[in-house]
mmCIF file of all heavy atoms in Angstrom:
data_model
loop_
_atom_site.group_PDB
_atom_site.id
_atom_site.type_symbol
_atom_site.label_atom_id
_atom_site.label_comp_id
_atom_site.label_asym_id
_atom_site.label_seq_id
_atom_site.Cartn_x
_atom_site.Cartn_y
_atom_site.Cartn_z
ATOM 1 N N GLY B 164 128.059 83.283 82.364
ATOM 2 C CA GLY B 164 129.503 83.070 82.343
ATOM 3 C C GLY B 164 130.289 84.146 83.075
ATOM 4 O O GLY B 164 131.508 84.210 82.967
ATOM 5 N N GLY B 165 129.609 84.982 83.839
ATOM 6 C CA GLY B 165 130.250 86.109 84.529
ATOM 7 C C GLY B 165 130.960 85.706 85.814
ATOM 8 O O GLY B 165 131.413 84.571 85.953
ATOM 9 N N GLU B 166 131.006 86.642 86.757
ATOM 10 C CA GLU B 166 131.761 86.405 87.999
ATOM 11 C C GLU B 166 131.192 85.219 88.784
ATOM 12 O O GLU B 166 129.993 84.992 88.822
ATOM 13 C CB GLU B 166 131.718 87.653 88.891
ATOM 14 C CG GLU B 166 132.423 88.825 88.257
ATOM 15 C CD GLU B 166 133.213 89.680 89.262
ATOM 16 O OE1 GLU B 166 133.314 89.330 90.447
ATOM 17 O OE2 GLU B 166 133.730 90.711 88.819
ATOM 18 N N LEU B 167 132.103 84.508 89.430
ATOM 19 C CA LEU B 167 131.706 83.372 90.252
ATOM 20 C C LEU B 167 130.999 83.882 91.508
ATOM 21 O O LEU B 167 131.499 84.760 92.205
ATOM 22 C CB LEU B 167 132.940 82.552 90.640
ATOM 23 C CG LEU B 167 132.663 81.220 91.330
ATOM 24 C CD1 LEU B 167 131.900 80.273 90.411
ATOM 25 C CD2 LEU B 167 133.971 80.574 91.788
ATOM 26 N N CYS B 168 129.821 83.327 91.761
ATOM 27 C CA CYS B 168 129.043 83.680 92.945
ATOM 28 C C CYS B 168 129.409 82.688 94.058
ATOM 29 O O CYS B 168 129.743 81.536 93.768
ATOM 30 C CB CYS B 168 127.555 83.578 92.594
ATOM 31 S SG CYS B 168 126.438 84.042 93.931
ATOM 32 N N PRO B 169 129.348 83.106 95.319
ATOM 33 C CA PRO B 169 129.603 82.149 96.409
ATOM 34 C C PRO B 169 128.715 80.897 96.308
ATOM 35 O O PRO B 169 129.078 79.845 96.823
ATOM 36 C CB PRO B 169 129.257 82.952 97.664
ATOM 37 C CG PRO B 169 129.460 84.378 97.288
ATOM 38 C CD PRO B 169 129.117 84.476 95.825
ATOM 39 N N CYS B 170 127.584 80.987 95.606
ATOM 40 C CA CYS B 170 126.660 79.847 95.496
ATOM 41 C C CYS B 170 127.152 78.814 94.488
ATOM 42 O O CYS B 170 126.579 77.727 94.382
ATOM 43 C CB CYS B 170 125.259 80.312 95.125
ATOM 44 S SG CYS B 170 125.006 80.583 93.355
ATOM 45 N N GLY B 171 128.193 79.151 93.712
ATOM 46 C CA GLY B 171 128.713 78.198 92.733
ATOM 47 C C GLY B 171 128.274 78.484 91.300
ATOM 48 O O GLY B 171 128.839 77.948 90.357
ATOM 49 N N GLN B 172 127.240 79.314 91.152
ATOM 50 C CA GLN B 172 126.822 79.704 89.802
ATOM 51 C C GLN B 172 127.689 80.884 89.331
ATOM 52 O O GLN B 172 128.405 81.481 90.114
ATOM 53 C CB GLN B 172 125.341 80.115 89.793
ATOM 54 C CG GLN B 172 124.407 78.985 90.171
ATOM 55 C CD GLN B 172 122.919 79.367 90.189
ATOM 56 O OE1 GLN B 172 122.073 78.508 90.204
ATOM 57 N NE2 GLN B 172 122.617 80.649 90.219
ATOM 58 N N ARG B 173 127.594 81.194 88.064
ATOM 59 C CA ARG B 173 128.319 82.349 87.526
ATOM 60 C C ARG B 173 127.345 83.434 87.092
ATOM 61 O O ARG B 173 126.334 83.147 86.481
ATOM 62 C CB ARG B 173 129.168 81.934 86.318
ATOM 63 C CG ARG B 173 130.397 81.152 86.703
ATOM 64 C CD ARG B 173 131.443 81.086 85.583
ATOM 65 N NE ARG B 173 132.685 80.556 86.120
ATOM 66 C CZ ARG B 173 133.633 81.313 86.692
ATOM 67 N NH1 ARG B 173 133.498 82.621 86.760
ATOM 68 N NH2 ARG B 173 134.723 80.746 87.181
ATOM 69 N N GLY B 174 127.692 84.683 87.412
ATOM 70 C CA GLY B 174 126.954 85.825 86.886
ATOM 71 C C GLY B 174 125.655 86.152 87.597
ATOM 72 O O GLY B 174 124.795 86.836 87.047
ATOM 73 N N CYS B 175 125.504 85.652 88.849
ATOM 74 C CA CYS B 175 124.305 85.963 89.643
ATOM 75 C C CYS B 175 124.252 87.460 89.989
ATOM 76 O O CYS B 175 125.287 88.112 90.116
ATOM 77 C CB CYS B 175 124.336 85.204 90.964
ATOM 78 S SG CYS B 175 124.269 83.413 90.811
ATOM 79 N N VAL B 176 123.045 87.974 90.210
ATOM 80 C CA VAL B 176 122.860 89.341 90.713
ATOM 81 C C VAL B 176 123.723 89.555 91.956
ATOM 82 O O VAL B 176 124.425 90.567 92.086
ATOM 83 C CB VAL B 176 121.371 89.593 91.069
ATOM 84 C CG1 VAL B 176 121.205 90.939 91.762
ATOM 85 C CG2 VAL B 176 120.486 89.522 89.826
ATOM 86 N N GLU B 177 123.698 88.584 92.841
ATOM 87 C CA GLU B 177 124.401 88.694 94.124
ATOM 88 C C GLU B 177 125.914 88.836 93.965
ATOM 89 O O GLU B 177 126.580 89.453 94.802
ATOM 90 C CB GLU B 177 124.073 87.447 94.968
ATOM 91 C CG GLU B 177 124.625 87.492 96.367
ATOM 92 C CD GLU B 177 124.018 86.419 97.268
ATOM 93 O OE1 GLU B 177 122.770 86.288 97.309
ATOM 94 O OE2 GLU B 177 124.781 85.700 97.928
ATOM 95 N N ALA B 178 126.464 88.262 92.884
ATOM 96 C CA ALA B 178 127.916 88.307 92.677
ATOM 97 C C ALA B 178 128.403 89.720 92.379
ATOM 98 O O ALA B 178 129.602 89.989 92.439
ATOM 99 C CB ALA B 178 128.311 87.361 91.544
#
Side-chain angles (χ1 to χ4, degrees):
Chain B
E166 295 218 5
L167 189 63
C168 182
C170 83
Q172 297 179 165
R173 286 197 169 273
C175 296
V176 172
E177 186 167 310

